[in-house]
Amino acid sequence: MKYVVLLCDGMADLPRDDLEGKTPMGTADKPNMDRLASISEIGLVKTVADNLKPGSDVANLSVLGYDPSVYYSGRSPLEAGSIGIDMKPTDVSFRCNLVTLSDDEKYENKTMIDYCSGDISSEEAAELIAFIQEKMGNEEFSFYSGVSYRHCLIWDKGTLDVGTLTPPHDITGRKITEYLGVNKNGQKLLEMMKRSYDLLKDHPVNKKRTEKGLRPANSIWLWGEGVRKDLTPFEEKYGLKGAMISAVDLLKGIGKFTGMEVINVPGATGYIDTNFSGKAQAAIKALEDGSDLVYIHVEAPDECGHRFEIENKVKSIELIDKLILAPILDAFKEKDIKILICPDHPTPLSLKTHTNAPVPYLIYDSRKAVNGVDCFCEEKAEKTGVYVEVGHTLMEKFLS
């Protein structure tokens, strides 16, 4: 038996008038998902408990079968592991976004224009982070570049008691004034954010971006603090050899810490221009080469939700269906395979951020057909009455 988890980040949504009262999942032309839905177990799963923040960190740990209340210690340490940072027990790590803020004179009065600086390239970002490290790095604070806008700050002998640090994708279009709620310990972080604006606003990389009509990466934004916490290896936990395929450091970090093979796919970007076909072929090869389970994470629907890109969110679901799911089904049409398809959390277009509402899931088993539904979407999943209340138990259910 081979197992595939197709994790469509942020795919779940709310019904929209401009989609004839449907969600993007209900609107998308996804014949393969819908065909599987008619012969698969369909239901809802609560991937994020009400007392936890609905981040991709908590939600993906949950889907992968790790209880966030036991294993979660913050988002950034997982990303740091992917970047290759060997955190000490006394280190505290922070996600360091490169963001676009408005040009209001006082930092506190600026508006969060763009949490990802217009999809800044990794090459441009690396130059900016190296500059920040040169100007602000020291024995206490060190900056490390990651992918696109996603980077890392390590605070030597730091503290988690820094006040409230808000994810920048939660406040797009809002003044940052009320989201700078640091305490005395976190004041150092806020001062670095302020100083970064003065350092970056006229940097040559940003001047070139502005000349091209692109958004400048004119500030760092710190959030997602955490300390290193080891995860039980996936193979030890479930007796299966696993592989992780993703464009983003967070999922690569989860894969690394759980002992899964982390497969890098050329052209995997985390956006709607990602190499969907490459991910499918990498998954097929991994399963043929000895992996028992492949976890394919696709970021595109989530990014479209954050940006209020309605058509692209629908299109991203269609591309997943056509370019990832279809080739996998074809490759294993004569073999035993189980497939779990689900989002990690909703990213409603109307909110431009995550919620911890239950999400639809589909479990397909090639050995047996069950009575399912005619569309894999939120409405039909809810009508089945099947509900997995504790998210991290879904993996065991899938593998049983």
Side-chain angles (χ1 to χ4, degrees):
M1 176 63 71
K2 297 294 184 179
Y3 301 87
V4 173
V5 178
L6 183 50
L7 194 292
C8 309
D9 200 306
M11 179 169 65
D13 212 301
L14 298 170
R16 298 189 55 82
D17 291 341
D18 46 19
L19 294 178
E20 299 181 352
K22 299 179 181 179
T23 64
M25 286 184 70
T27 302
D29 179 17
K30 52 185 197 317
N32 297 291
M33 289 189 197
D34 290 342
R35 179 177 67 82
L36 292 188
S38 69
I39 54 174
S40 299
E41 176 184 323
I42 307 294
L44 293 176
V45 56
K46 179 77 167 172
T47 57
V48 182
D50 288 334
N51 64 328
L52 296 174
K53 294 180 180 179
S56 291
D57 42 15
V58 170
N60 277 276
L61 281 173
S62 183
V63 174
L64 200 54
Y66 291 81
D67 182 353
S69 68
V70 174
Y71 291 99
Y72 182 65
S73 63
R75 177 189 187 110
S76 186
L78 299 169
E79 296 176 329
S82 174
I83 292 172
I85 303 169
D86 187 14
M87 289 180 62
K88 303 188 299 292
T90 55
D91 286 341
V92 176
S93 63
F94 297 81
R95 162 70 88 83
C96 177
N97 275 48
L98 284 173
V99 303
T100 305
L101 298 180
S102 63
D103 58 3
D104 298 79
E105 185 173 350
K106 287 190 65 176
Y107 192 87
E108 293 84 351
N109 293 337
K110 296 182 186 299
T111 296
M112 180 65 66
I113 302 296
D114 191 344
Y115 68 91
C116 65
S117 301
D119 300 340
I120 188 168
S121 71
S122 297
E123 294 74 21
E124 291 172 305
E127 187 174 340
L128 295 178
I129 292 297
F131 181 66
I132 288 295
Q133 172 63 16
E134 177 189 341
K135 297 297 183 181
M136 296 199 298
N138 51 44
E139 291 184 357
E140 188 176 13
F141 294 102
S142 299
F143 294 85
Y144 297 84
S145 62
V147 177
S148 185
Y149 63 90
R150 312 173 187 95
H151 309 283
C152 185
L153 167 68
I154 298 293
W155 184 358
D156 182 44
K157 299 180 181 64
T159 177
L160 293 171
D161 180 19
V162 294
T164 302
L165 302 177
T166 303
H169 52 254
D170 284 358
I171 56 174
T172 300
R174 302 181 195 175
K175 279 192 175 293
I176 65 174
T177 313
E178 61 183 285
Y179 304 104
L180 301 175
V182 297
N183 58 23
K184 183 178 179 181
N185 294 330
Q187 195 62 35
K188 289 183 179 181
L189 305 176
L190 178 56
E191 291 305 317
M192 285 192 290
M193 289 163 61
K194 290 180 178 179
R195 188 181 173 203
S196 75
Y197 182 85
D198 295 328
L199 291 170
L200 293 177
K201 62 184 177 67
D202 294 321
H203 190 279
V205 166
N206 282 324
K207 284 187 175 181
K208 290 178 183 177
R209 288 183 62 80
T210 302
E211 289 169 2
K212 294 177 183 178
L214 302 174
R215 286 174 170 167
N218 57 20
S219 181
I220 63 170
W221 188 271
L222 303 172
W223 62 287
E225 66 276 14
V227 295
R228 178 169 180 164
K229 196 167 187 178
D230 293 330
L231 300 176
T232 303
F234 187 82
E235 189 169 2
E236 178 183 320
K237 191 173 177 65
Y238 293 107
L240 298 172
K241 182 180 178 182
M244 173 68 71
I245 298 174
S246 178
V248 300
D249 286 329
L250 171 63
L251 272 296
K252 291 179 181 179
I254 291 175
K256 178 179 178 179
F257 283 132
T258 55
M260 303 176 82
E261 179 189 5
V262 177
I263 300 173
N264 294 309
V265 175
T269 64
Y271 302 105
I272 197 166
D273 65 350
T274 197
N275 185 0
F276 293 96
S277 297
K279 288 190 172 187
Q281 295 310 312
I284 292 167
K285 186 176 187 302
L287 292 170
E288 290 177 342
D289 287 351
S291 291
D292 301 304
L293 178 146
V294 174
Y295 194 98
I296 310 168
H297 172 264
V298 188
E299 178 79 359
D302 183 64
E303 292 288 349
C304 295
H306 285 307
R307 302 176 191 201
F308 195 66
E309 296 178 355
I310 303 171
E311 291 183 6
N312 276 345
K313 185 163 187 181
V314 173
K315 183 180 178 181
S316 70
I317 298 169
E318 294 175 343
L319 290 171
I320 292 169
D321 186 85
K322 178 181 180 180
L323 300 180
I324 298 181
L325 182 57
I328 290 173
L329 288 171
D330 185 62
F332 289 91
K333 60 186 175 184
E334 302 297 333
K335 301 174 184 177
D336 290 340
I337 190 169
K338 290 186 75 173
I339 300 175
L340 165 63
I341 307 175
C342 66
D344 50 353
H345 52 66
T347 306
L349 287 153
S350 57
L351 301 177
K352 298 183 185 179
T353 191
H354 308 162
T355 73
N356 56 9
V359 296
Y361 75 87
L362 175 160
I363 294 179
Y364 165 71
D365 187 334
S366 63
R367 300 167 301 178
K368 59 183 180 181
V370 297
N371 292 325
V373 297
D374 60 2
C375 175
F376 181 44
C377 61
E378 300 87 346
E379 179 186 7
K380 295 298 176 71
E382 184 176 8
K383 285 184 177 179
T384 66
V386 178
Y387 182 54
V388 179
E389 186 175 4
V390 182
H392 68 266
T393 65
L394 181 65
M395 179 58 70
E396 188 173 341
K397 179 183 182 69
F398 171 53
L399 298 178
S400 64

